[in-house]
Structures are given as C-alpha cells and as structure tokens.
Amino acid sequence: MSQEIAVVGSPDFTTGFRLAGVRKFRNVPDEEKDESLDEAVMETLDDDEVGIIVMHDDDMDHLSRQARQAVEGSIEPVLVTLGGGAGAGGLREQIKRAIGIDLMDE
C-alpha cells in the first residue's frame, strides 16, 4: 500500500505542493492558526493514507502542547517541517526519526 504526502498550513504554503501533485492538504489561514491548526494536524495524523505530513517550521509555534507531542512522536506518519530555523540539524533529526538511524553519525 502506497502512502501519500499531506501538507498542512496557510494557503500560500500549501499551493506549491498542490501544484506539484500533492492531493491531501489542509489550508489553515494565518489568522485562524491558533484556533484551527490543532484540529487540522490531528485529523491528518489520523488519516491512514498519509505517510508524510509537511508543515512550515513556524507553524509548530501555533500547536498546543498535546498536538506538538503527537506529531513529534509520530513514526507513521512522520512530520517534516520546512523553512524557519530547522536548518541542517533539524533535517538530520527528521531523517533520524523517519528511518530510525542517524545516517550522518561518524
């Protein structure tokens, strides 16, 4: 069974992914993130067809503690954040969490 990529965030963030062929998305306008982002993320986490959730790194600040713990601890689907201050160290941690080993370990 193949799994899909889902993107959650502002319409500006999700549009590029949709144009690239991502079919699963949840638009949460910036002015509604504090009220609606948790619900969008949790529903995406519960979708059995989703293997990867993509979010903007800055949107993590809008999640409640419970939602943040759920996405950070999720193995399937795995969360990938882009932009913001994630940098190389953040990407390294995301890869490590996704596959279970640190490919860059010396």
Side-chain angles (χ1 to χ4, degrees):
M1 176 174 111
S2 66
Q3 293 188 310
E4 296 194 43
I5 296 172
V7 62
V8 178
S10 68
D12 290 340
F13 182 73
T14 63
T15 298
F17 290 94
R18 292 173 53 206
L19 291 171
V22 173
R23 295 179 296 188
K24 293 195 174 271
F25 64 95
R26 291 293 305 265
N27 284 331
V28 181
D30 290 334
E31 61 273 4
E32 297 176 16
K33 284 187 179 173
D34 290 330
E35 300 85 30
S36 304
L37 191 60
D38 276 8
E39 179 182 347
V41 167
M42 296 308 285
E43 287 178 3
T44 306
L45 271 176
D46 291 337
D47 187 337
D48 291 336
E49 295 178 356
V50 174
I52 298 172
I53 300 173
V54 179
M55 289 179 59
H56 194 282
D57 188 58
D58 293 341
D59 287 346
M60 295 296 287
D61 295 335
H62 294 278
L63 293 177
S64 67
R65 184 182 328 167
Q66 179 182 4
R68 180 186 285 259
Q69 288 175 340
V71 294
E72 288 178 345
S74 177
I75 295 172
E76 189 177 310
V78 66
L79 173 70
V80 175
T81 57
L82 302 174
L91 182 58
R92 178 180 181 173
E93 286 302 312
Q94 291 173 24
I95 293 169
K96 182 178 170 184
R97 186 173 66 237
I99 64 173
I101 60 171
D102 188 354
L103 293 175
M104 296 178 229
D105 193 21
E106 296 178 18

